Amino acid sequence: MAPSDPILGLTEIFKADSNSSKVNLGVGVYYDNNGKVPLLECVKSAESALVGKNAARAYQPIDGNAEYNLKVQELLLGAGSTVITDGRIVTAQTLGGTGALKVGADFLRNVIGTDQVWISNPTWANHKGIFQNAGFTVNTYPYYDESRKGVDFDAMIGKLSSLPKNSVVLLHACCHNPTGVDLTKPQWDEIATVVLNNGLIPFLDIAYQGFGDSIDDDAYAVRLFVERCPNVLIANSFSKSFSLYGERIGGLSVVSGSKDESARVLSQVKTLIRTNYSNPPIHGGGIVGSVLRDSNLRGLWDQELAGMRDRIKLMRSTLAKEIMRACPDHDFSFIEAQRGMFSYSGLQKPQVDKLRADFSIYVVDSGRICVAALNSQNVGYVAEAISKVLK
Ligand code: LMR
């Protein structure tokens, strides 16, 4: 038997729990204040228009829906980007952000010939397996300093500065998973300089664009690397920002030095996709493409995304306040400074186990909490349970 997945396996155990007070803070899914995964109004509207067309289901192109791919590029780089108009970026619609990472890893291993990747310590539990299965040796660079509840920037930049040329560096563009602790803009600038000067290959994972501060703010690192480095890979996902988890909708974008080079990159990416799953499904890309094409629906999406972001921020401050009310000797204000869905709570494995056994509250073993699963009905219960396991 293979071990169960550290994140999705937890949802399986949660589902089997009969305690009516149970709370799943494991998987990274946004729930609304009623504890439901929302179906966004912009998605509903785009979807009914699509379904109303009763369109036939022919195969998509290997790289997916062309309009969708262009809209992905515009979200990542900004609509006026000359990298787009110069044809220096190619995008393939993929099966979520995970699919983008996998196709990107296969491209780097099989076409570029690199075999060493550096991922942050800690990182999303699936990063290691994706790169290992693509044939990489997976190494880590320091990222999180528990004692400061912040980035260990000196150690991070020190490590990156020591890497050999053509090493792949996987970076969380925003809303770092699992810590919720992001680099500042000046820190990103320094990282980009090291990556450029040392000839490293940056691979940016952006699964939470719009969940941090705004669509544009959250794309800062992506735009910086694209401006400064000749070759950049970007894996993006709409699972969270469009609440389209089960549609598996994301994209792999590759920026290169010229239009000709981009055409060659796309030809190789298409070969990899064709031999993996042939071509992507229609529905998710159709929805996202329709919303991003239509200015009214795009405006509605911006509002709905801001609503999700603001609610998460409210839950951060409420959780911090409630824990500190119950446990005045613990400082939990760091939760408010973190960004995105997650908080690295600092809870240790025995405390995580106790939360599950005594309160049916499910947290990833590392102590990562999905703040986006809190609501006004369960946040008090969760805060009280955390304060009890802390004592
Ligand atoms: C998470 O980190 O919980 C999410 O990205 C969902 C997943 O696939 O692990």
Side-chain angles (χ1 to χ4, degrees):
M1 291 288 280
S4 74
D5 183 79
I7 296 174
L8 299 185
L10 210 54
T11 301
E12 291 165 19
I13 309 170
F14 171 81
K15 282 187 175 156
D17 189 331
S18 57
N19 183 347
S20 59
S21 304
K22 66 183 178 178
V23 186
N24 187 3
L25 303 179
V27 68
V29 171
Y30 175 92
Y31 297 89
D32 64 18
N33 201 44
N34 297 314
K36 300 270 182 265
V37 177
L39 180 60
L40 301 188
E41 289 301 324
C42 61
V43 166
K44 235 188 259 180
S45 186
E47 184 165 53
S48 39
L50 283 175
V51 171
K53 284 186 184 163
N54 288 321
R57 310 296 155 91
Y59 288 127
Q60 288 217 92
I62 296 171
D63 51 337
N65 178 325
E67 181 183 46
Y68 164 87
N69 289 337
L70 175 62
K71 292 294 166 195
V72 167
Q73 295 172 0
E74 290 178 354
L75 274 184
L76 293 174
L77 305 191
S81 165
T82 52
V83 174
I84 303 175
T85 48
D86 290 350
R88 291 202 295 114
I89 180 168
V90 289
T91 299
Q93 177 186 338
T94 55
L95 305 182
T98 308
L101 288 163
K102 171 66 173 140
V103 176
D106 284 347
F107 172 76
L108 289 167
R109 181 71 199 93
N110 299 326
V111 181
I112 304 300
T114 54
D115 63 0
Q116 299 285 325
V117 64
W118 271 263
I119 61 178
S120 75
N121 181 20
T123 193
W124 179 45
N126 213 16
H127 276 153
K128 187 174 176 196
I130 290 170
F131 279 87
Q132 256 174 358
N133 287 345
F136 276 84
T137 301
V138 179
N139 313 277
T140 60
Y141 57 83
Y143 187 81
Y144 187 66
D145 178 357
E146 174 67 41
S147 65
R148 280 187 280 156
K149 302 269 190 261
V151 177
D152 191 349
F153 188 68
D154 290 345
M156 177 184 182
I157 202 133
K159 183 72 193 179
L160 297 186
S161 305
S162 74
L163 302 186
K165 194 166 184 271
N166 286 336
S167 301
V168 177
V169 181
L170 187 66
L171 297 155
H172 298 240
C174 67
C175 306
H176 185 271
N177 178 4
T179 65
V181 174
D182 283 339
L183 296 169
T184 61
K185 288 179 179 173
Q187 287 174 334
W188 274 121
D189 295 348
E190 282 190 58
I191 299 284
T193 301
V194 167
V195 166
L196 178 68
N197 291 346
N198 290 23
L200 310 179
I201 302 173
F203 194 161
L204 284 101
D205 185 358
I206 177 158
Y208 302 93
Q209 189 177 3
F211 267 72
D213 291 307
S214 71
I215 289 283
D216 288 329
D217 281 323
D218 293 353
Y220 179 81
V222 169
R223 294 175 190 179
L224 174 75
F225 276 83
V226 167
E227 190 185 303
R228 299 199 51 198
C229 301
N231 298 107
V232 184
L233 283 86
I234 308 152
N236 79 286
S237 166
F238 293 113
S239 295
K240 336 288 178 183
S241 58
F242 270 83
S243 193
L244 282 175
Y245 304 88
E247 293 294 350
R248 310 308 302 132
I249 180 67
L252 172 70
S253 298
V254 185
V255 173
S256 41
S258 68
K259 197 172 177 175
D260 283 354
E261 191 181 349
S262 283
R264 293 194 291 277
V265 168
L266 184 60
S267 72
Q268 297 289 353
V269 166
K270 283 167 69 175
T271 302
L272 293 166
I273 291 174
R274 175 66 172 146
T275 52
N276 263 295
Y277 53 86
S278 195
N279 51 72
I282 295 172
H283 198 62
I287 293 171
V288 172
S290 307
V291 171
L292 296 179
R293 158 176 15 111
D294 179 301
S295 59
N296 289 331
L297 292 182
R298 167 67 207 252
L300 184 55
W301 177 57
D302 286 340
Q303 277 173 30
E304 295 188 279
L305 185 54
M308 292 194 278
R309 181 169 67 231
D310 291 345
R311 205 192 73 75
I312 297 175
K313 286 184 180 163
L314 177 65
M315 286 303 112
R316 286 189 178 282
S317 56
T318 312
L319 180 66
K321 199 169 65 202
E322 296 269 321
I323 298 176
M324 290 192 290
R325 197 165 49 82
C327 280
D329 49 333
H330 283 82
D331 180 8
F332 265 79
S333 56
F334 64 86
I335 294 181
E336 287 191 66
Q338 296 165 340
R339 282 287 173 277
M341 281 191 162
F342 302 114
S343 171
Y344 222 41
S345 64
L347 291 169
Q348 302 299 306
K349 177 77 167 65
Q351 295 164 327
V352 168
D353 290 344
K354 207 164 158 46
L355 276 180
R356 191 191 307 181
D358 297 356
F359 302 95
S360 294
I361 294 174
Y362 291 77
V363 170
V364 180
D365 281 353
S366 62
R368 185 193 84 169
I369 285 178
C370 178
V371 187
L374 294 171
N375 58 50
S376 48
Q377 293 97 66
N378 67 20
V379 65
Y381 174 69
V382 169
E384 196 186 315
I386 291 178
S387 47
K388 286 195 176 134
V389 303
L390 283 172
K391 282 175 185 160

